[in-house]
Amino acid sequence: MKKLFTAFLMLLAVSVFLVSCNKKENSAAGTPAQVLCQQFKSELKANKSISLEELGKNLSENKVLEFSTVIMEVEEGYLNGFTDEINGFSEGEIFAPLIGAIPFVGYVFRTENPSALMATLKEKADLRWNVCTAADEMVIDSVDDIVFFVMAPKSFEE
């Protein structure tokens, strides 16, 4: 009985070790928002003429997003996640969860002035826009005339 119990404890210890190692590997890639930002840059590096709709679709299919998404065109005005109207872009796409209780929202915008739009997005973003939950971080970046914006939790794991 003692040998069986010892073997069980050893198996448990090895399992805990493997699980903790696996989490370290996943965190090395970054948070979901950081992973999506890396993909955004890679997609545009590989294809400068990609449409915003296709870019939003590709980002929404990333495995870090553990939920079904919706991708839609957006126009200037009041956008999900902001305290005021967002202007200064000619084209935009949102990719967001189908379930509103998930604290995630992502956008890609085409603009003539990326730095001004990025400053506006940062100033007017509200990490607590979602009634039930709040995002942990905001990631904003740009490549040429396209701006990337995401608000998300640092992890989708409980």
Side-chain angles (χ1 to χ4, degrees):
M1 187 69 165
K2 285 183 182 182
K3 287 182 183 180
L4 184 60
F5 184 69
T6 302
F8 173 74
L9 287 178
M10 288 179 63
L11 181 62
L12 183 63
V14 169
S15 297
V16 168
F17 175 74
L18 291 175
V19 169
S20 66
C21 287
N22 188 28
K23 285 187 180 180
K24 287 179 186 173
E25 288 176 18
N26 289 341
S27 66
T31 64
Q34 293 166 346
V35 169
L36 290 169
C37 188
Q38 291 166 5
Q39 180 185 350
F40 162 77
K41 291 176 184 179
S42 297
E43 296 262 347
L44 287 172
K45 184 177 180 183
N47 183 1
K48 293 268 186 196
S49 62
I50 191 170
S51 71
L52 288 190
E53 181 180 10
E54 185 69 22
L55 181 58
K57 179 181 176 286
N58 293 349
L59 291 168
S60 73
E61 292 173 349
N62 191 303
K63 291 181 181 180
V64 299
L65 301 180
E66 301 170 353
F67 46 80
S68 297
T69 58
V70 61
I71 302 105
M72 294 187 311
E73 183 178 342
V74 294
E75 297 177 355
E76 292 182 321
Y78 286 99
L79 300 178
N80 193 17
F82 299 96
T83 58
D84 201 356
E85 290 188 31
I86 301 298
N87 299 301
F89 63 93
S90 58
E91 204 180 333
E93 293 283 330
I94 183 176
F95 52 105
L98 287 173
I99 300 170
I102 299 172
F104 176 90
V105 66
Y107 292 95
V108 285
F109 299 101
R110 187 175 309 278
T111 180
E112 291 182 12
N113 191 342
S115 58
L117 181 58
M118 290 170 64
T120 298
L121 295 172
K122 185 175 181 177
E123 175 189 334
K124 296 181 179 182
D126 180 7
L127 291 172
R128 296 199 55 84
W129 87 96
N130 195 320
V131 174
C132 302
T133 59
D136 298 319
E137 71 175 336
M138 174 186 347
V139 174
I140 307 171
D141 208 336
S142 68
V143 172
D144 299 327
D145 65 339
I146 300 178
V147 172
F148 168 87
F149 176 89
V150 165
M151 287 190 290
K154 292 202 180 200
S155 170
F156 289 109
E157 297 174 5
E158 289 290 320

